[in-house]
Amino acid sequence: DTGVSQDPRHKITKRGQNVTFRCDPISEHNRLYWYRQTLGQGPEFLTYFQNEAQLEKSRLLSDRFSAERPKGSFSTLEIQRTEQGDSAMYLCASSPRTDRVEQYFGPGTRLTVT
Amino acid sequence: DQQVKQNSPSLSVQEGRISILNCDYTNSMFDYFLWYKKYPAEGPTFLISISSIKDKNEDGRFTVFLNKSAKHLSLHIVPSQPGDSAVYFCAAIGGGGADGLTFGKGTHLIIQP
């Protein structure tokens, strides 16, 4: 299967701990996106990379959140000092090139902060 | 302020009939609209898109209609099949395709046998 993969699929952590999620996009997709989805809502955009450059950040991405895509391939999303309000599904998507608008999503990482 | 609205949280349709899912938007700068389908415990799956310069796009059983003057789009599924039961999200994207998608809250489509 050559779809977008995310690891882990589930994460339970205690408030105040740091967590890191990984996303592997579809091979040769140079655009990578992170979204957050809470219950009853659609996904909300967090940040976007073209190759290794982080080009856009949503105001939802507080200072406790940081994302990287060091070699333009996989990406990591780290949340420091987690809060209960960070509990959500974190989705990663990738997109092939500038003339295509569709984004292909991974299965997501469900974070529960206790 | 929600820029993409799906006002029907759920919709029940009989198998074989037409399913019509609706979406309204407020931002006239959006230049592409997309529909995604989501099953539980999976990420959204892309279905179909439409450029803002078109009024219709068709792909197999799925057709999307865009009414720019009304800032309204709809997804038609004909004929509806049991596997179509899922949550459907309407999404929009701004100029250049570089921005993140703006999603509605979704409509849960239930296909009745």
Side-chain angles (χ1 to χ4, degrees), chain B residues 10 67 87 90 100 112:
Chain B
S10 66
N67 182 335
V87 177
C90 173
Q112 305 276 11

Side-chain angles (χ1 to χ4, degrees), chain B residues 8 11 34 38 51-53 62 69 78 83 86-87 91 103 105 111:
Chain B
S8 298
L11 175 68
L34 302 88
K38 187 179 184 305
S51 164
S52 63
I53 63 172
F62 302 93
S69 61
V78 183
V87 177
F103 282 86
K105 291 187 177 184
I111 304 301

Side-chain angles (χ1 to χ4, degrees), chain A residues 54-109:
Chain A
Q54 189 172 17
L55 295 187
E56 190 175 347
K57 294 185 199 179
S58 158
R59 67 183 186 281
L60 294 175
L61 209 69
S62 75
D63 291 345
R64 296 184 298 106
F65 288 69
S66 62
E68 292 183 344
R69 194 181 183 198
K71 296 183 180 179
S73 57
F74 73 91
S75 176
T76 58
L77 178 68
E78 181 183 16
I79 309 174
Q80 296 183 327
R81 305 181 303 282
T82 52
E83 302 172 355
Q84 286 189 318
D86 296 331
S87 295
M89 176 73 83
Y90 289 84
L91 292 160
C92 175
S94 69
S95 182
R97 56 183 192 262
T98 55
D99 61 339
R100 300 283 297 272
V101 295
E102 64 267 25
Q103 297 174 19
Y104 298 90
F105 283 81
T109 295

